[in-house]
Amino acid sequence: GHPARVLLDAAADAQLLVVGSHGTRGYPGMALGSTGHALLHGSECPIALVRLRN
């Protein structure tokens, strides 16, 4: 399935969803990709999006 849907389903009863993010390659002004954006708008629990240090 779509990564965001799979993560949202797996975190249905979670207290916190922690995911890594590489941002949007090629779009330096954007902090989130489509999966991160979908998680922020669809999650019932708090989310921690962790980016790798460049």
Side-chain angles (χ1 to χ4, degrees):
H2 188 274
R5 182 77 264 152
V6 171
L7 288 167
L8 289 171
D9 289 345
D13 295 323
Q15 293 181 356
L16 176 66
L17 176 59
V18 180
V19 293
S21 174
H22 54 74
T24 55
R25 296 179 199 163
Y27 298 99
M30 296 182 71
L32 293 176
S34 60
T35 301
H37 189 267
L39 292 173
L40 285 176
H41 288 281
S43 179
E44 297 292 325
C45 68
I47 298 175
L49 280 166
V50 181
R51 292 198 64 187
L52 293 175
R53 190 182 270 190
N54 291 337

